Amino acid sequence: MEQRCDALFFSAHPDDVEFGMGGTYLKIAKEFKSVHIILTRGEAGTHGTPEKRVKEAVKAGKFAGAEVEFMDFKDNHVEDNAKNAKKLAAVIRKYKPKVIFSPYHGITGSHKDGISHPDHAALGKLVLKAARFAKFKNAEVDGEPHLAHRIFYYMIPRHVIPDVVVDVSGVVSDLKRLWACHGTQMALRDGKIVNALLEHRKMIGKIHGSVYAEHFVVDEPLMLDPKDLLRV
Ligand SMILES: [Zn+2]
C-alpha cells in the first residue's frame, strides 16, 4: 500500500501541532495527504490520562483530515541522540514526505513558557538529524532513502524572526473546533488556553498585516519560482 504523504507533521506531545500551528495544519491537511507523528502520549502532563490524550489526538487528526501515528517515546525523556534520530528517519522513509513540520530546534525560554518544554527542542534537533539520515543509503535505517524538500519549524521563541508567515484568519472557527478536540487540555492557562492561542496568532497577524497568523523558521532561504513571487 502506498504510504507516501505530502506533509509529515511531528509533535512531541499529542497537542503540539494543533496548538503550535493548527491553522496551517488544517489548511494543508484539507488539501494534501498529511500524517501527524506524535512521539509520546503526553503522560507527564498535568491534565488528562495517556488513553484520553491518544483519543483526543486521533479525533483532532480526523477533524483536520490527517492520519495520526504514535511512537513509543517517553514524555519528558525525548532525547537528541543518533539512535532516536534513526527511529525518526525510518518514519520519514516510510512516508516519504515532500515537507516536514517540527518544533523549532533552537527553542529557549523560561520554565513558565509553554513552548520551552525540553522535549520540543530535542524533537527539532532529532528531526533535523533524521531528515539527513533518511537520505543516506548506508545509514542503517529501515526503508528506501528519501530526501524531503524542506523542514518548517513551528514554536518559535520570541527573539527569533520568522522566515514564513501563514495567514490563518479564514480558518479561526475550525481552529477552535480543532483545539476543542483536546478536551483535557482546555484546563490549561486557568481555562483560558483558547484565548491565549488566539491572542498569540493575533499578535503575529498584527506584525505581518493580517488578523490571525502563524509563523515558521526554515534552515535555509526558500527557493521560489518567479511566478510564485507574484502570488506572495
Ligand atoms: Zn508539547
Side-chain angles (χ1 to χ4, degrees):
M1 198 177 87
E2 177 65 55
Q3 289 183 304
R4 190 179 288 266
C5 75
D6 295 307
L8 191 60
F9 298 84
F10 280 100
S11 284
H13 313 113
D15 53 19
D16 289 344
V17 156
E18 288 87 334
F19 288 178
M21 52 160 294
T24 310
Y25 178 48
L26 283 172
K27 284 183 156 214
I28 291 175
K30 194 178 168 189
E31 203 172 329
F32 302 97
K33 188 172 178 197
S34 300
V35 178
H36 183 189
I37 305 293
I38 306 170
L39 268 68
T40 78
R41 284 155 178 77
E43 62 273 14
T46 306
H47 307 285
T49 61
E51 295 75 23
K52 275 188 186 164
R53 298 202 66 186
V54 167
K55 277 188 188 162
E56 289 171 352
V58 170
K59 190 177 168 188
K62 269 196 189 127
F63 180 75
E67 200 178 300
V68 173
E69 182 176 312
F70 279 86
M71 295 184 80
D72 285 322
F73 283 80
K74 202 172 159 217
D75 196 359
N76 284 352
H77 296 268
V78 175
E79 284 173 12
D80 167 31
N81 58 46
K83 194 176 154 211
N84 287 339
K86 283 185 184 180
K87 288 184 190 171
L88 268 57
V91 173
I92 293 170
R93 285 187 172 189
K94 178 178 169 187
Y95 289 108
K96 299 182 171 42
K98 290 178 185 151
V99 294
I100 298 172
F101 290 84
S102 165
Y104 182 47
H105 50 69
I107 300 169
T108 54
S110 131
H111 65 286
K112 292 185 277 186
D113 184 350
I115 69 163
S116 64
H117 191 298
D119 286 352
H120 297 159
L123 174 55
K125 289 177 188 139
L126 279 175
V127 169
L128 179 56
K129 281 195 181 82
R132 183 185 296 268
F133 291 173
K135 72 173 179 162
F136 292 151
K137 195 177 158 204
N138 297 317
E140 297 174 322
V141 171
D142 289 342
E144 290 300 309
H146 175 73
L147 176 63
H149 299 325
R150 192 168 296 275
I151 306 170
F152 292 93
Y153 298 99
Y154 64 95
M155 289 188 177
I156 305 171
R158 286 173 212 154
H159 64 279
V160 175
I161 297 170
D163 299 307
V164 177
V165 178
V166 176
D167 183 354
V168 297
S169 310
V171 294
V172 167
S173 58
D174 277 349
L175 195 44
K176 288 180 190 167
R177 290 174 68 197
L178 179 74
W179 291 334
C181 294
H182 291 281
T184 62
Q185 305 308 300
M186 293 297 104
L188 288 169
R189 303 264 189 123
D190 296 326
K192 296 188 180 112
I193 180 68
V194 168
N195 195 43
L197 292 169
L198 284 176
E199 285 299 316
H200 184 62
R201 283 159 177 80
K202 209 186 264 185
M203 180 194 75
I204 301 166
K206 200 163 196 168
I207 295 169
H208 300 287
S210 75
V211 184
Y212 294 97
E214 292 174 348
H215 56 192
F216 302 86
V217 163
V218 289
D219 289 316
E220 56 190 6
L222 294 172
M223 189 175 285
L224 297 176
D225 186 276
K227 280 181 274 179
D228 297 326
L229 294 178
L230 296 179
R231 284 192 210 110
V232 295

